[in-house]
Amino acid sequence: MRVIFSPLAERDLEDIGDYIARDNPRRALSFVIELRRQCAKIATAPQAYRPRSELGDGIRSCAHGNYVIFFHETRMGLGIVRILHGSMDIEAQFAETSNGQ
């Protein structure tokens, strides 16, 4: 299954990399690669992951370290919606996204 990153998910990856790079540039790159690999792994069995209906129709999530990958299946493949730190107010982040912010 093809993995498709939303513009917000791409921005999330960039922000995660930038944040980690402040202390450890090498780890920043390797962690972003890990997150991308985890997304590819999700695509092999997306139904195995936790449904998150409170965030939207068909949304599921997968934790990776301190981060959570949010995704849904589409006709085109696996859509990665967001990648957020687990300590964030996830519902607020999704509410901002649905309000066009």
Side-chain angles (χ1 to χ4, degrees), residues 81-98:
V81 179
R82 298 294 308 261
I83 303 171
L84 301 170
H85 194 278
S87 68
M88 295 178 87
D89 183 343
I90 303 297
E91 290 186 21
Q93 292 293 316
F94 273 78
E96 288 178 15
T97 301
S98 66

Side-chain angles (χ1 to χ4, degrees), residues 6-101:
S6 73
L8 281 174
E10 288 286 1
R11 188 182 77 193
D12 292 338
L13 283 172
E14 186 175 323
D15 290 347
I16 291 164
D18 289 348
Y19 180 77
I20 295 170
R22 289 187 228 161
D23 294 323
N24 190 337
R26 184 176 296 160
R27 180 61 182 139
L29 178 60
S30 68
F31 189 69
V32 169
I33 290 169
E34 281 179 28
L35 286 168
R36 288 185 179 276
R37 285 183 181 149
Q38 183 63 37
C39 292
K41 181 180 174 187
I42 291 167
T44 65
Q47 294 296 318
Y49 296 90
R50 178 179 175 212
R52 298 297 297 264
S53 58
E54 75 276 13
L55 301 175
D57 290 339
I59 301 289
R60 291 180 175 270
S61 68
C62 171
H64 184 81
N66 292 327
Y67 291 86
V68 183
I69 301 165
F70 297 93
F71 61 92
H72 62 97
E73 292 181 78
T74 71
R75 286 185 227 152
M76 301 294 291
L78 184 78
I80 305 299
V81 179
R82 298 294 308 261
I83 303 171
L84 301 170
H85 194 278
S87 68
M88 295 178 87
D89 183 343
I90 303 297
E91 290 186 21
Q93 292 293 316
F94 273 78
E96 288 178 15
T97 301
S98 66
N99 289 332
Q101 298 180 7

